[in-house]
Amino acid sequence: MNYQKLLEQVAKEHNTTPEEVDVEMRNALQMAGYDIEPAMFIALATAKAKKTIYRN
């Protein structure tokens, strides 16, 4: 799933716009001290989760 599709799905589930979801994700990452694009953060987190799942 690409980043835009993810934004659309989350926005639909929370009755908001994809743009608002993107802004919220960027704000959350910034507040957490991360200087990274949301799409890259999601990709890195997904890769780490897959390694953990398939390692066990």
Side-chain angles (χ1 to χ4, degrees), residues 1-53:
M1 177 179 292
N2 69 30
Y3 182 62
Q4 187 60 41
K5 294 276 188 196
L6 179 68
L7 289 178
E8 291 169 5
Q9 182 177 347
V10 172
K12 184 177 180 182
E13 289 177 14
H14 294 277
N15 198 30
T16 189
T17 65
E19 294 79 15
E20 185 60 30
V21 174
D22 182 62
V23 168
E24 289 291 328
M25 289 177 68
R26 289 176 188 279
N27 288 340
L29 287 169
Q30 185 178 27
M31 290 177 68
Y34 292 103
D35 184 24
I36 189 170
E37 289 290 316
M40 182 56 69
F41 179 82
I42 292 167
L44 292 170
T46 301
K48 186 165 180 98
K50 284 181 181 178
K51 284 182 183 178
T52 300
I53 291 168

